Amino acid sequence: MTRLVFWVGFWVFLVDQASKYLVVHWMALRELGRIDVLPPFLNLRMAWNTGVNFGLFSQDSDIMRWGLIALALLISGAVLWWVHRDPPGRVGLIAAGLLVGGAMGNVVDRILYGAVADFLNMSCCGIANPYAFNLADAAIFAGALGLVFFAGEKKAP
């Protein structure tokens, strides 16, 4: 079952990196800064996040950059160890793959760019969302939530 974690993580990582390359470089969001897709529901807004979610702990320093890389690697390693040692059910393994794949996608961004490339901006119902995120962020969030709710489920004998 640990193969499931690997393959989910692999595809999350690949789709995340491909989406970032497509939007940041091919669609030139890096230069344009913004592209309205389906306003206000879906817009592309270039944001370089040197911190964690919503720009928390944002500092433009190498210590923070490498510290966040180390933290992501440490957490990913701990999740992999945990699901190997005490395997959850299928949904828990998928959740672990989502979290690890997303974390690795953001690690690569920090190594390549010095910050995480965020570009998805979604607003609704008269509320303007000032934040941007990426597919890796969504996978990390979904994976963490999945582990909270499904890590205790065991595979039926």
Side-chain angles (χ1 to χ4, degrees):
M1 276 300 200
T2 54
R3 281 188 282 163
L4 182 59
V5 176
F6 170 80
W7 284 111
V8 170
F10 171 79
W11 286 110
V12 166
F13 173 82
L14 194 64
V15 169
D16 171 66
Q17 289 298 298
S19 71
K20 289 172 182 171
Y21 182 82
L22 175 73
V23 172
V24 174
H25 299 288
W26 192 74
M27 293 175 69
L29 188 63
R30 185 180 223 170
E31 289 80 28
L32 298 173
R34 63 185 291 154
I35 299 171
D36 291 334
V37 180
L38 291 169
F41 304 109
L42 176 61
N43 299 301
L44 303 179
R45 301 288 185 264
M46 191 71 244
W48 294 101
N49 188 353
T50 57
V52 292
N53 286 3
F54 307 116
L56 294 172
F57 309 114
S58 218
Q59 295 177 358
D60 196 13
S61 75
D62 275 346
I63 292 172
M64 183 60 77
R65 173 186 176 194
W66 291 104
L68 289 173
I69 289 170
L71 181 62
L73 293 173
L74 182 71
I75 290 170
S76 296
V79 166
L80 291 173
W81 176 79
W82 176 30
V83 299
H84 176 74
R85 185 159 192 245
D86 188 20
R90 184 174 180 81
V91 177
L93 293 171
I94 291 169
L98 288 169
L99 190 145
V100 171
M104 292 303 101
N106 283 346
V107 162
V108 167
D109 282 10
R110 290 185 195 285
I111 292 169
L112 293 178
Y113 307 119
V116 174
D118 288 337
F119 58 88
L120 293 168
N121 174 263
M122 302 174 89
S123 296
C124 179
C125 313
I127 299 170
N129 175 16
Y131 300 106
F133 63 98
N134 60 47
L135 296 179
D137 296 338
I140 292 166
F141 180 79
L145 203 59
L147 285 174
V148 167
F149 288 111
F150 299 106
E153 289 185 359
K154 298 294 179 198
K155 185 177 171 182

